[in-house]
Amino acid sequence: MMLTITNLDLKTNEFILQNASYTFETGTIYGIVARNGMGKTTLFRAINNLKKYSGTITFDNRPVTKARQDIFYFESENWLNPSLSGIDHLKFVQQAWHSTIPIDTVINYWKMQDYVKHPIKTYSLGMKQKLLIALYQLSDAKYLIMDEISNGLDESSRQMLHDLMTTFKSQGKLVLVSSHYKEDLTKVCDHLVTFDNKQLVSET
Amino acid sequence: MNHRTTTTNSQISLINNDIETNIQYLKKQQTEVTHLSGKRKQDLEKVISELKKDTEIKKNIVSALESKQWSTAYNLLAEENLKILEYEKKGQTANSSEEFIDAIKRELLIFRYLSSHNMQYEPTDFSTKGVNFFAWVSNNIIPYFFVLVSAFILTNFYLISYRSNGIIDTDSLIPGKNITKQFVKISVGIIFSLISVLCLFLVSFISATFLFGSGNLDYPYIVYTSKYNMHVEPLENLLLKSLPLQLLSLISTCLLFYIIAILVKNKLGALFVSLLLSTGVLFGISTLDPIQKISSFIPITYINSFSIVTGTLARQIENFQLSLTTGYLVVTSSIVLLSIAVIILNRFRGDR
């Protein structure tokens, strides 16, 4: 069970990765650490087939299109529909990913009871970010790809996120999380991966 | 309130004006005739006698209209029109023109129908009664205003999943086949459009019925089969022919908007192209000669289904290829071709 990147060429204006290969094992938390603009989001988009690349990216030897049910990627809180409520988003994810996790469990975990039925446009950044993490939690997907997911969270929520990531790991899921702050990831990640000379390199 | 709502009153008042003019003219001529002699006197006396007869007929028409004896009233009006038509055909009036003769023929057909069905006259250019207003909405509101509004709403809806200036389609992250997701999205758009248009029809019908009465499904409308040939058909027949074509045409338009949206990917750009290819083309059909010539092959033309069934559009732009049969053929083909285009585009956007 793994996410395998083989001979990946990925570029925006210039190459971010060239002939890069890396294998991410399930039951592990990987932290992608890089400065702004180094290509963390572009890599995540390529993994999710949202960005053109050459090379191969497979999930358990399947292309991403055959493994959608096992992957959850929600790039940022900007993707939330401002006219819909938190509960609308949660119900949609539960249905689309055929999740058996009760919605109330995640609402209670993130203490969203007071605002989950309100439209997203009334949410603060922290509220949106909690909802976004709740969507990951509810999807129950095997591959969780999280881009700057701790943005806007206070200290206690950040700790709850770390606890949740550890739970994901114990459930045999693969967590791929990015951040500009190395110290944010060192606490919780098993491996830190960075971009070096257009390759993906482990830092451990 | 529209003064046309009191149609009969306005008809009566028009005829009363004619009667008043006749009476004034008669007085003048009667004074004049006393100063004349010989042939000129005889001619003027003949004119006076005809005017008296005409005034009498007009008074009978007014009295029949006032007592709601539609059959009698419209029979008399039809006879009046027939007389005018004969004069016109003989070229006995100074301002004879094809348009005027056409107008008289139209009135004659309508009056004869109304007389035989004992039915009240209702102007069809600005109808107020329930079913007539329904037809007016289908002919005037759906092709322009509704298409414009649906272009705006559907473009927004179809591109709601596109982020980062159209680079990313978040729908592709949702489990399931892309083609299924696309057709679900298209179907929602189509269902939305059809429900909206049915609601619009319903509200128009109910409000018009509530204010001015339900009207009559047998009401006659002029149908042109060529530039010079026309006949009348009851509204019910016309609606039964035109509504399915209009709804099919709306489905084709929804598919067109979807394809434009996924090709352009940007909301403003897609809206601009959609409006150009829908409302723009619809206005072009009535104004631009090159578009008029090919209009029978343009699926969106048939959203004007009511004026196609009545032959009004075909006569206006002199393109009698516009017909119900061509409409069904072109619109159904366009739905099939646009659906194939969606499938092909899905392959190009491609699953890796």
Side-chain angles (χ1 to χ4, degrees):
Chain A
M1 297 291 190
M2 59 190 78
L3 159 59
T4 313
I5 294 173
T6 317
N7 302 329
L8 180 68
D9 283 347
L10 183 62
K11 62 184 287 191
T12 46
N13 291 327
E14 55 185 51
F15 276 102
I16 294 167
L17 293 171
Q18 213 163 10
N19 205 27
S21 298
Y22 201 92
T23 301
F24 298 92
E25 304 277 349
T26 48
T28 315
I29 304 172
Y30 291 89
I32 307 279
V33 195
R35 293 192 313 275
N36 275 338
M38 288 291 284
K40 297 184 293 291
T41 303
T42 311
L43 171 65
F44 284 176
R45 286 182 179 178
I47 289 173
N48 283 286
N49 205 27
L50 296 173
K51 164 93 184 138
K52 281 186 180 167
Y53 61 87
S54 68
T56 319
I57 299 174
T58 57
F59 294 79
D60 304 337
N61 297 318
R62 293 171 297 166
V64 63
T65 50
K66 305 279 179 204
R68 281 279 178 233
Q69 198 73 51
D70 295 330
I71 307 164
F72 194 83
Y73 176 64
F74 204 96
E75 191 170 286
S76 86
E77 38 85 22
N78 289 330
W79 282 15
L80 297 166
N81 187 326
S83 307
L84 298 179
S85 66
I87 196 85
D88 293 331
H89 285 83
L90 290 165
K91 279 180 182 169
F92 176 75
V93 166
Q94 188 190 43
Q95 197 186 344
W97 271 263
H98 306 302
S99 170
T100 52
I101 297 175
I103 291 180
D104 286 345
T105 315
V106 294
I107 293 175
N108 293 336
Y109 185 82
W110 290 103
K111 299 180 178 66
M112 297 191 293
Q113 297 89 334
D114 293 342
Y115 59 85
V116 75
K117 288 182 181 168
H118 298 170
I120 302 295
K121 58 188 163 205
T122 61
Y123 287 21
S124 69
L125 176 63
M127 286 150 91
K128 288 186 210 170
Q129 209 63 25
K130 281 182 193 172
L131 173 65
L132 199 151
I133 302 165
L135 296 177
Y136 276 90
Q137 191 179 350
L138 187 66
S139 75
D140 201 20
K142 197 192 295 175
Y143 298 92
L144 301 166
I145 301 163
M146 304 168 160
D147 193 11
E148 312 278 1
I149 200 148
S150 55
N151 281 359
L153 291 182
D154 55 33
E155 199 53 47
S156 65
S157 302
R158 207 171 279 227
Q159 187 52 53
M160 285 167 74
L161 170 66
H162 291 168
D163 294 345
L164 195 61
M165 285 160 93
T166 312
T167 311
F168 290 153
K169 178 186 163 184
S170 67
Q171 289 168 345
K173 299 180 194 296
L174 187 158
V175 180
L176 197 55
V177 58
S178 74
S179 178
H180 338 282
Y181 307 110
K182 196 174 175 178
E183 60 277 16
D184 204 38
L185 298 179
T186 41
K187 288 182 210 164
V188 69
C189 293
D190 301 309
H191 299 279
L192 291 183
V193 179
T194 191
F195 296 86
D196 185 27
N197 202 21
K198 293 169 187 158
Q199 298 293 314
L200 286 169
V201 182
S202 283
E203 267 205 355
T204 352
Chain B
M1 292 278 183
N2 189 338
H3 76 280
R4 286 169 188 268
T5 56
T6 53
T7 310
T8 311
N9 289 345
S10 79
Q11 255 186 333
I12 291 170
S13 103
L14 278 174
I15 300 167
N16 274 335
N17 284 346
D18 283 350
I19 294 170
E20 189 56 36
T21 315
N22 278 6
I23 290 169
Q24 294 299 324
Y25 190 69
L26 265 173
K27 277 182 190 167
K28 202 176 152 193
Q29 297 306 312
Q30 276 166 339
T31 326
E32 206 170 303
V33 81
T34 54
H35 305 296
L36 294 175
S37 59
K39 195 173 181 303
R40 285 186 68 192
K41 186 174 183 175
Q42 280 175 358
D43 287 347
L44 197 54
E45 276 172 347
K46 202 178 160 190
V47 169
I48 289 168
S49 148
E50 278 177 15
L51 263 175
K52 278 181 179 169
K53 258 193 238 168
D54 184 57
T55 310
E56 200 52 44
I57 292 169
K58 284 190 162 66
K59 280 180 179 170
N60 288 341
I61 294 170
V62 169
S63 130
L65 285 172
E66 279 173 344
S67 55
K68 297 187 178 176
Q69 291 170 359
W70 310 123
S71 186
T72 315
Y74 294 122
N75 187 34
L76 288 169
L77 276 166
E79 279 173 16
E80 285 280 280
N81 275 34
L82 199 60
K83 269 189 225 162
I84 298 169
L85 196 61
E86 276 162 12
Y87 279 129
E88 292 296 330
K89 278 183 179 167
K90 286 178 193 164
Q92 286 180 355
T93 57
N95 48 1
S96 290
S97 70
E98 266 182 33
E99 286 82 19
F100 184 65
I101 291 174
D102 258 7
I104 298 294
K105 279 182 183 172
R106 280 199 299 269
E107 277 199 343
L108 181 62
L109 286 169
I110 295 285
F111 288 147
R112 277 181 175 164
Y113 186 99
L114 293 176
S115 173
S116 65
H117 287 75
N118 196 27
M119 204 181 281
Q120 188 186 2
Y121 177 79
E122 161 83 4
T124 49
D125 50 351
F126 284 100
S127 309
T128 50
K129 298 252 172 85
V131 282
N132 302 83
F133 189 63
F134 180 101
W136 185 85
V137 167
S138 165
N139 197 25
N140 295 282
I141 301 294
I142 305 295
Y144 302 102
F145 182 68
F146 184 80
V147 168
L148 192 133
V149 171
S150 65
F152 181 77
I153 294 172
L154 290 180
T155 303
N156 264 292
F157 170 67
Y158 288 147
L159 290 177
I160 204 162
S161 63
Y162 281 75
R163 309 286 159 159
S164 307
N165 292 323
I167 297 169
I168 292 171
D169 177 13
T170 53
D171 274 356
S172 67
L173 297 169
I174 300 165
K177 283 188 175 175
N178 273 347
I179 193 71
T180 316
K181 284 181 264 175
Q182 287 193 42
F183 275 104
V184 166
K185 209 167 184 178
I186 293 169
S187 305
V188 171
I190 290 172
I191 291 167
F192 166 79
S193 285
L194 295 183
I195 290 178
S196 307
V197 87
L198 292 176
C199 286
L200 181 63
F201 279 141
L202 201 67
V203 169
S204 315
F205 175 73
I206 291 172
S207 49
T209 302
F210 178 70
L211 291 169
F212 308 111
S214 62
N216 196 328
L217 273 171
D218 281 337
Y219 195 84
Y221 279 70
I222 297 286
V223 174
Y224 299 95
T225 46
S226 73
K227 197 174 176 187
Y228 300 107
N229 290 327
M230 57 179 116
H231 63 272
V232 284
E233 267 190 52
L235 178 59
E236 185 181 12
N237 283 7
L238 300 175
L239 285 178
L240 283 174
K241 288 179 196 167
S242 71
L243 282 178
L245 182 62
Q246 191 161 51
L247 297 181
L248 271 181
S249 204
L250 273 174
I251 293 174
S252 161
T253 311
C254 290
L255 277 161
L256 177 72
F257 289 160
Y258 180 76
I259 288 177
I260 293 168
I262 60 167
L263 284 176
V264 180
K265 294 188 171 92
N266 171 281
K267 279 185 187 174
L268 208 59
L271 180 63
F272 176 72
V273 179
S274 294
L275 289 179
L276 205 66
L277 293 182
S278 57
T279 313
V281 169
L282 284 168
F283 277 112
I285 287 166
S286 47
T287 48
L288 301 171
D289 191 50
I291 297 181
Q292 289 174 353
K293 282 179 182 158
I294 56 161
S295 58
S296 56
F297 304 107
I298 305 173
I300 202 159
T301 309
Y302 298 96
I303 212 151
N304 286 302
S305 62
F306 192 80
S307 56
I308 282 164
V309 169
T310 56
T312 322
L313 186 62
R315 187 172 185 263
Q316 183 197 334
I317 67 170
E318 294 185 6
N319 183 350
F320 278 92
Q321 279 182 312
L322 286 174
S323 67
L324 192 69
T325 320
T326 325
Y328 275 115
L329 196 69
V330 170
V331 174
T332 314
S333 310
S334 77
I335 291 173
V336 173
L337 290 174
L338 289 169
S339 303
I340 293 170
V342 171
I343 295 167
I344 292 170
L345 281 171
N346 178 62
R347 290 217 164 217
F348 270 109
R349 280 152 47 109
D351 294 347
R352 264 174 193 272

